Amino acid sequence: MTTPSPSLPTQDYILGVHDAEIARLGLQHRAWRARALGLWRKAGLRAGARVLDFGCGPGYASLDLAEIVGASGAVLAVDRSSAFLAQLTAQAQARAYGQIMVREADLLAPDLDLTEGFGQADFAWARWIFAFTPDLDRALDAFTKTLAPGGMAAITEYITYNTWGFLPAEPVIADFCASVMQSWRARGGEPDVAGRVIAGLIARGFDVQLIEPALEIITQSDPLWDWPESFIRSNVPRLVELGDMSETAAQNVLAAWEAASARPQTRMITPLTAQILAKKPR
Ligand SMILES: C[S@@+](CC[C@H](N)C(=O)[O-])C[C@H]1O[C@@H](n2cnc3c(N)ncnc32)[C@H](O)[C@@H]1O
């Protein structure tokens, strides 16, 4: 491994904001959409609700949320990546979703007030955002402050990222997983953030009503396989670009991935993820 390069444009988002990452996040959303819809239903989300999508990325979930809340509701989609927000704006316009409000903001900016021009939300959604925020308390403050008393927070984050790997174990891929975690941590992120998020919600008086674990063991014939596959394909070159992985190590990871994928007996374990529902006190 080489020394991380602080000069590279990691500020927007460590995994990049290029077209390949927009496409990967779309694939990831489709892989996780059924779970998100199930969680939102359990939360009681329905037409007319005012929703925050905190760290919305290219807004794949924002579009689904807008469809559910309809023209009588509203979705405030916030991210700091202008490239991601441009993608969401184009999609919202194509669908004539006037209920989506896009806001470019750093979620860690001091005194950030997301209620300005929107008011308080009935429902706040955040998925794979707290893992990338170096100041979890500040991010949780901004997230929870936007919710109205009695409003519901719905969150998806990793509990234990390094459950991800092959069965039988493939050490090169286990090392790759460790490099990903190290790369996030080197820039202030924390992959295994779900436990700290839950503790932070409880400390803020929230009633944590659901912690649902998600972990699957799959074969290559399962469409879910494409989710980690697309991550490997886009993140190996990204780690090289960031100076977090050598070219040789990158080639070894891709070769090990292809060899393990080609074995018919191979199974893959996905990263252990939590879906969380918590109600803000009245
Ligand atoms: C893994 S993506 C998840 C996107 C979306 N929530 C989803 O589930 O598809 C993480 C997102 O967090 C955003 N992000 C990270 N740190 C941020 C910050 N401090 N302020 C605003 N957005 C941030 C990135 O720009 C990126 O869009």
Side-chain angles (χ1 to χ4, degrees), residues 12-13 55-57 79-80 84 105-108 127-129 132:
D12 256 349
Y13 168 46
C56 61
D79 204 281
R80 73 176 168 194
F84 286 173
D106 180 351
L107 299 170
L108 299 181
R127 181 177 59 186
W128 293 310
I129 166 75
F132 300 100

Side-chain angles (χ1 to χ4, degrees), residues 25-208:
L25 287 169
L27 189 153
Q28 176 169 267
H29 178 66
R30 290 187 289 282
W32 281 81
R33 178 188 269 141
R35 286 191 200 273
L37 292 173
L39 188 71
W40 300 344
R41 182 178 172 193
K42 281 182 192 156
L45 181 67
R46 45 163 44 106
R50 302 185 68 74
V51 174
L52 168 68
D53 187 352
F54 191 76
C56 61
Y60 297 103
S62 316
L63 293 164
D64 284 345
L65 289 163
E67 187 180 7
I68 294 170
V69 303
S72 62
V75 177
L76 175 63
V78 189
D79 204 281
R80 73 176 168 194
S81 163
S82 52
F84 286 173
L85 295 178
Q87 167 80 10
L88 171 56
T89 302
Q91 290 297 318
Q93 280 168 358
R95 294 167 204 217
Y97 280 171
Q99 65 269 41
I100 296 186
M101 261 180 78
V102 168
R103 179 150 168 205
E104 188 176 330
D106 180 351
L107 299 170
L108 299 181
D111 305 324
L112 177 70
D113 183 2
L114 294 174
T115 63
E116 248 172 50
F118 184 78
Q120 283 196 301
D122 313 306
F123 181 79
W125 164 245
R127 181 177 59 186
W128 293 310
I129 166 75
F130 295 116
F132 300 100
T133 50
D135 188 338
L136 179 63
D137 270 323
R138 185 175 282 185
L140 273 176
D141 280 345
F143 177 73
T144 54
K145 216 169 62 181
T146 315
L147 255 186
M152 189 69 93
I155 298 167
T156 295
E157 292 287 351
Y158 297 117
I159 301 175
T160 313
Y161 189 78
N162 70 4
T163 58
W164 181 32
F166 284 116
L167 277 182
E170 168 46 72
V172 176
I173 298 303
D175 286 351
F176 169 72
C177 181
S179 299
V180 171
M181 296 176 80
Q182 165 59 25
S183 164
W184 295 5
R185 284 175 177 149
R187 292 167 186 81
E190 174 49 55
D192 297 346
V193 79
R196 290 179 55 210
V197 167
I198 292 162
L201 290 169
I202 293 170
R204 286 165 179 77
F206 277 62
D207 174 19
V208 176

